[in-house]
Amino acid sequence: MEDFRSNYLRLCKENNLNPQESVLNQLKQVRHSGTHSKTPRGNALASSILGSSTKIDTGVVGVTLDLSTTSLTAQTCAILGEALAKDCLFVELKLSDCMIGDDGFKLLAPGLCTNVALRSLDLKGNNLRGASAEALGKVFRQNHSLRRVCLEWNSLGLDSDRFTLLAEGISANNSLERLDLRNNQISHDGASELMKSLQRNCALQSVDLRWNNIGIVGGRSALAMLQYNKTLTDLELSGNNITQDIVKAIDIAMEHNLDRANLSNEHQTRQSIMTREIKQLRTEKKQQSSDLLHRIDQQNDFHDKTQRDTIHKIYQLQEALAERKSAFNALNAKLSKTEAELLLVNQRSRDLSELLEISRKENEALVVMHHKELQTQLGEKAATESKLLQETSSLKDRSLHLETKSDELDRRCQNQQDQIYELKEELASSHAQTKLQATQAEERLQNERQRLRDQQRDVEQRHISEIHHLRESSEESERAYKDRISKLEEHRRHIEEEMSKLKNQHLTERLGLEEQILNTRQRVKEEEHQRMKHLEDKIRLLNNAKDDLQQHHSQQMQTIAELQSKNSNYTLEVESLKRTLEELNQEVAGKNNELQAEVNRVKLNHSKQLSKMEVQVQDMESLRERCSALELQLTDQTRRHRAELMDRDNELVNTRDRMRSQEIEYSRMQEEEAQRAGMLQAAISGYLVSSRSPAATPRK
């Protein structure tokens, strides 16, 4: 509303025109009424007005611009036309008794031509004439939104030629439903043109032509129009000097049109109801089928989702199981690796023990060799001593020297025995296993010593016995033996040097061997100790790892058992889901069968309804045939009626002549009756005058 008012003021300002206060007051009243009567659905009112076409039969619903009894100038009409050209708010426009005239309406008509919101137009009592009729024809040709137009109390029928343009506009219009042309001075020519246009119009339902001058010719053209127009159900023709028979024929045609309209409306309503019911059934069935399919899709989606979840969980469990298996295999590989390392360590320990045994055997072999060498040395020494004793026994003259030599030999033997004891102690300290051999060697040495002692005793005894013999010959051979003794001493010195060298070599070798043995023993002990510690650490670590692996293995076995139980549960769930899926498939099959049965039933019902509709269509065709027959009868009756009307017209002419003669006679008779009445009145008055006197005396 404010937009229309502001647009109106703007256009007035652009055209340098002062807006009319009456128009502004009416716009304010409309604005205030619109604001006070606003409802929660008021916001959707404009859209409902603009978006849907309102039926004028039950009244126009929307905003009404009422400028009735407001004197509008031509300039104001031009401004209103420009404002209404683009307006989409007003549905009803009332301009009754506004004294617009032809000039004002010419300026207002362009806006009405382009307006698409108006449904009702009231132009009552605006002195519209021929030019306005031409403009209205243009409005009717271009505007296809008007439903009701009121043109009462105008003079549109004065100019028949321009009224013809109005009739042509009405014939071209396909939206107008009610047209009010009361008191418009429409002649029989204008009425005939209007009826010709109504023959081509299929939208008008009500036309009001009361209080015009269409006459009998216009009534006949209206009757002829009704033979072609079957949509017009209300035609008001009173006050037009039309005979009663034409009015009755028009009423009969209107009743036929009304019956036809009622039948068509009833048929349309029934058809719309049936189509609505069919659509509703289709929508219900579609909804049911869509709901069923939606439920099936939901169940399938749920089943697929649960299946995907179970597959995903099984895949995760399989991955976890594979990871556990890989970890278990890695641990088994580590365990096998540690076992292999343990085997290698055991192999190395066995190799080292073998090497130790070999070294022990070599030491034993060396001890045996040394013992053998000592024995050989002792044997050699014994041989040399026996040779010397034999030489001393053979040499009698060297007794003193032999005694000294024996003492020296004793000392040597003692020294050798001391050396043997030292060697025995050293050998006993070097290795514990050589004790037995050393004891045996000592026993042998003791036996040898005892044997040597026995031999010495024997030698001494022999020496004593031979001394006596030698003393005798010693002196003789003393000189010879001195040389030999010197040689023997040199030889002894040489032997002693060799013995000292051998002893030194033996000592050095023995010390080196002992040092090597000690070093090897210490090194072997240290290596064995370190290896034993390392092996003990490894064994402890392996035991710990083995315990951990056993615990992990037990945990994995537990998890595997749990996973197997879960897998069994999942398999049970999957089987249950499969069973439910089978049940759902069975239900779906049952539902499909029910749906198919329902569809078949609906098809049967639809076929029955179609057959009924076909029967109804056949009835309608029979009704149409009857209507056509009735129309033929009506045409025959109209022909007969026309002939009768001609006859009656002739009779009317005769009757009029008779009536004229009768009127003359009636006037003559009236004169005679008047004369008779005057004479009678004079007689009555005379009688009354003569009768007053005797009538008054008895009362006194």
Side-chain angles (χ1 to χ4, degrees):
M1 184 61 67
E2 290 294 333
D3 293 336
F4 185 80
R5 187 169 179 274
S6 61
N7 192 14
Y8 173 71
L9 293 173
R10 181 180 58 79
L11 291 170
C12 289
K13 188 176 180 181
E14 288 178 356
N15 292 312
N16 296 320
L17 181 66
N18 293 323
Q20 289 187 6
E21 293 296 330
S22 57
V23 176
L24 291 176
N25 292 327
Q26 290 295 327
L27 290 174
K28 285 181 181 179
Q29 289 178 5
V30 173
R31 178 169 62 86
H32 289 301
S33 64
T35 55
H36 288 299
S37 64
K38 190 176 286 185
T39 61
R41 296 183 182 177
N43 295 326
L45 182 62
S47 62
S48 65
I49 291 167
L50 298 176
S52 62
S53 61
T54 308
K55 286 189 177 181
I56 310 299
D57 295 335
T58 58
V60 179
V61 179
V63 182
T64 302
L65 179 59
D66 191 358
L67 297 175
S68 300
T69 67
T70 302
S71 181
L72 300 177
T73 62
Q75 292 82 4
T76 304
C77 291
I79 299 300
L80 286 174
E82 291 182 7
L84 288 170
K86 297 180 180 179
D87 180 67
C88 295
L89 179 63
F90 295 113
V91 178
E92 186 175 3
L93 179 61
K94 291 183 179 180
L95 298 174
S96 61
D97 299 324
C98 291
M99 301 301 291
I100 294 173
D102 290 338
D103 296 332
F105 189 75
K106 282 182 182 179
L107 298 172
L108 181 65
L112 297 175
C113 290
T114 57
N115 187 282
V116 294
L118 281 176
R119 299 291 184 269
S120 176
L121 178 63
D122 189 359
L123 294 171
K124 177 182 176 182
N126 281 292
N127 195 19
L128 301 179
R129 294 177 181 272
S132 299
E134 185 178 356
L136 276 170
K138 186 176 181 182
V139 169
F140 287 144
R141 278 194 299 273
Q142 295 183 6
N143 190 307
H144 296 283
S145 62
L146 286 171
R147 299 288 185 270
R148 185 177 67 183
V149 176
C150 180
L151 299 171
E152 185 182 359
W153 289 106
N154 288 294
S155 300
L156 296 172
L158 289 176
D159 191 348
S160 299
D161 296 332
R162 292 185 174 180
F163 190 79
T164 303
L165 297 175
L166 174 61
E168 290 177 356
I170 291 170
S171 66
N173 189 281
N174 57 1
S175 63
L176 190 63
E177 295 177 357
R178 289 190 179 185
L179 180 62
D180 190 354
L181 291 171
R182 288 178 292 176
N183 293 310
N184 271 281
Q185 298 181 14
I186 301 172
S187 63
H188 62 277
D189 294 329
S192 61
E193 292 295 329
L194 181 62
M195 297 308 165
K196 288 179 182 179
S197 67
L198 289 176
Q199 287 180 4
R200 296 188 295 273
N201 188 287
C202 298
L204 271 171
Q205 298 176 2
S206 176
V207 178
D208 195 349
L209 294 172
R210 288 179 291 178
W211 310 111
N212 286 294
N213 298 316
I214 63 175
I216 296 172
V217 178
R220 289 176 179 175
S221 62
L223 187 61
M225 177 270 297
L226 289 173
Q227 294 179 3
Y228 299 99
N229 191 327
K230 304 300 180 182
T231 59
L232 189 64
T233 59
D234 187 10
L235 180 62
E236 297 290 340
L237 295 172
S238 61
N240 282 287
N241 297 321
I242 302 173
T243 58
Q244 290 297 322
D245 54 355
I246 295 174
V247 172
K248 288 181 181 179
I250 289 170
D251 290 336
I252 291 168
M254 295 301 297
E255 287 177 359
H256 289 167
N257 286 341
L258 186 61
D259 293 335
R260 184 186 293 275
N262 291 327
L263 285 172
S264 64
N265 290 327
E266 186 178 358
H267 178 67
Q268 287 178 359
T269 53
R270 286 180 181 178
Q271 190 175 3
S272 63
I273 290 166
M274 291 183 72
T275 53
R276 238 188 346 264
E277 288 179 355
I278 291 167
K279 286 180 181 179
Q280 188 175 2
L281 287 171
R282 286 179 180 175
T283 52
E284 288 177 357
K285 295 303 177 183
K286 285 181 181 179
Q287 186 67 31
Q288 290 178 0
S289 61
S290 63
D291 293 335
L292 184 61
L293 292 172
H294 184 64
R295 286 177 59 194
I296 292 166
D297 292 333
Q298 285 182 351
Q299 290 175 359
N300 289 325
D301 293 334
F302 180 73
H303 177 66
D304 294 334
K305 186 177 180 182
T306 53
Q307 191 173 5
R308 286 195 298 272
D309 292 334
T310 52
I311 290 167
H312 184 64
K313 288 180 181 178
I314 290 166
Y315 181 69
Q316 288 180 351
L317 292 171
Q318 287 178 356
E319 287 182 351
L321 185 63
E323 289 178 356
R324 296 292 177 84
K325 283 183 179 179
S326 62
F328 186 70
N329 292 324
L331 291 172
N332 285 324
K334 287 182 180 179
L335 183 62
S336 61
K337 188 176 180 181
T338 51
E339 287 178 354
E341 289 179 354
L342 185 61
L343 290 172
L344 290 172
V345 169
N346 291 324
Q347 186 68 31
R348 287 178 183 176
S349 63
R350 284 195 295 271
D351 293 335
L352 289 172
S353 61
E354 288 177 357
L355 289 172
L356 186 61
E357 289 292 331
I358 290 166
S359 62
R360 286 177 182 176
K361 288 179 181 179
E362 287 178 354
N363 290 325
E364 289 177 357
L366 289 171
V367 170
V368 171
M369 283 176 64
H370 287 297
H371 185 66
K372 286 180 179 180
E373 287 178 355
L374 289 172
Q375 285 180 356
T376 53
Q377 288 177 1
L378 289 172
E380 288 177 353
K381 288 178 180 179
T384 54
E385 286 178 357
S386 63
K387 286 179 180 179
L388 290 171
L389 287 173
Q390 288 176 2
E391 287 178 353
T392 54
S393 63
S394 63
L395 296 173
K396 292 179 181 181
D397 54 353
R398 291 175 34 186
S399 61
L400 293 173
H401 294 288
L402 289 170
E403 287 177 358
T404 55
K405 191 177 180 180
S406 64
D407 293 330
E408 289 176 358
L409 289 170
D410 289 329
R411 284 195 297 273
R412 289 178 183 174
C413 289
Q414 190 66 34
N415 291 324
Q416 288 179 358
Q417 288 176 358
D418 293 331
Q419 290 177 0
I420 289 165
Y421 283 121
E422 289 176 359
L423 289 170
K424 286 179 180 179
E425 289 175 357
E426 290 176 357
L427 290 170
S429 61
S430 64
H431 201 277
Q433 293 182 358
T434 59
K435 287 182 180 180
L436 295 173
Q437 294 178 0
T439 53
Q440 290 177 2
E442 286 177 357
E443 288 177 358
R444 289 177 183 176
L445 287 171
Q446 286 178 1
N447 293 323
E448 290 290 331
R449 186 177 174 186
Q450 188 66 34
R451 187 172 59 78
L452 288 172
R453 286 179 181 176
D454 292 336
Q455 288 178 0
Q456 283 180 357
R457 287 175 184 175
D458 293 333
V459 168
E460 286 178 353
Q461 288 177 3
R462 290 177 183 174
H463 180 66
I464 291 167
S465 62
E466 288 178 355
I467 284 170
H468 295 289
H469 295 289
L470 289 171
R471 283 177 182 176
E472 293 177 355
S473 58
S474 60
E475 290 177 356
E476 294 177 358
S477 58
E478 184 176 358
R479 293 176 182 176
Y481 280 111
K482 283 181 181 178
D483 297 328
R484 290 182 181 179
I485 287 167
S486 60
K487 292 180 181 179
L488 289 170
E489 284 178 356
E490 290 178 358
H491 185 65
R492 182 177 61 79
R493 288 172 185 170
H494 183 67
I495 290 168
E496 286 178 355
E497 290 176 357
E498 288 180 356
M499 286 292 289
S500 62
K501 289 179 180 179
L502 290 170
K503 284 179 180 180
N504 291 324
Q505 289 178 359
H506 180 67
L507 287 172
T508 53
E509 289 177 358
R510 186 170 60 80
L511 291 171
L513 290 170
E514 286 178 356
E515 288 177 357
Q516 288 179 0
I517 289 165
L518 290 172
N519 292 323
T520 53
R521 282 179 180 177
Q522 290 178 358
R523 185 168 57 78
V524 168
K525 284 180 180 180
E526 289 176 356
E527 289 178 356
E528 287 180 355
H529 185 67
Q530 290 177 358
R531 287 175 182 174
M532 288 298 289
K533 285 183 179 180
H534 185 65
L535 291 171
E536 286 176 357
D537 293 331
K538 283 187 177 181
I539 289 164
R540 186 171 61 254
L541 292 171
L542 289 170
N543 289 322
N544 293 324
K546 188 176 180 182
D547 295 332
D548 294 333
L549 288 171
Q550 287 178 356
Q551 291 178 359
H552 188 66
H553 181 67
S554 62
Q555 290 177 358
Q556 283 186 348
M557 291 300 289
Q558 289 177 0
T559 53
I560 287 165
E562 291 176 357
L563 291 172
Q564 287 178 355
S565 63
K566 287 181 180 179
N567 192 5
S568 62
N569 293 324
Y570 284 137
T571 52
L572 292 172
E573 289 179 358
V574 168
E575 289 177 356
S576 64
L577 289 171
K578 285 180 180 179
R579 287 195 294 273
T580 54
L581 181 62
E582 290 176 356
E583 292 175 357
L584 289 171
N585 289 323
Q586 292 176 0
E587 289 180 359
V588 168
K591 294 289 184 180
N592 288 325
N593 293 324
E594 291 177 359
L595 181 63
Q596 189 66 31
E598 190 68 23
V599 168
N600 293 324
R601 187 172 64 79
V602 170
K603 285 181 178 179
L604 290 172
N605 292 326
H606 186 64
S607 62
K608 289 179 181 179
Q609 290 177 359
L610 286 174
S611 62
K612 289 180 180 179
M613 289 178 71
E614 288 176 356
V615 171
Q616 290 178 359
V617 169
Q618 290 176 0
D619 294 334
M620 289 295 294
E621 289 178 354
S622 63
L623 287 172
R624 286 178 183 175
E625 290 176 356
R626 288 174 63 189
C627 288
S628 61
L630 289 171
E631 287 176 355
L632 292 172
Q633 290 177 3
L634 183 62
T635 54
D636 294 333
Q637 287 179 0
T638 52
R639 288 174 184 174
R640 292 174 185 174
H641 186 65
R642 286 176 182 175
E644 290 176 356
L645 285 173
M646 296 294 290
D647 296 333
R648 286 182 181 180
D649 289 333
N650 296 322
E651 289 178 358
L652 282 171
V653 171
N654 295 322
T655 52
R656 282 176 183 174
D657 295 334
R658 291 175 185 175
M659 285 177 70
R660 286 173 184 172
S661 62
Q662 287 178 2
E663 283 177 356
I664 293 167
E665 290 178 358
Y666 180 70
S667 61
R668 185 174 59 78
M669 289 174 70
Q670 281 181 351
E671 290 176 355
E672 290 176 355
E673 288 290 332
Q675 291 175 3
R676 289 176 184 176
M679 291 173 68
L680 183 61
Q681 188 176 3
I684 290 169
S685 63
Y687 176 74
L688 289 173
V689 169
S690 64
S691 64
R692 280 180 182 175
S693 58
T697 55
R699 286 181 185 176
K700 291 180 179 180

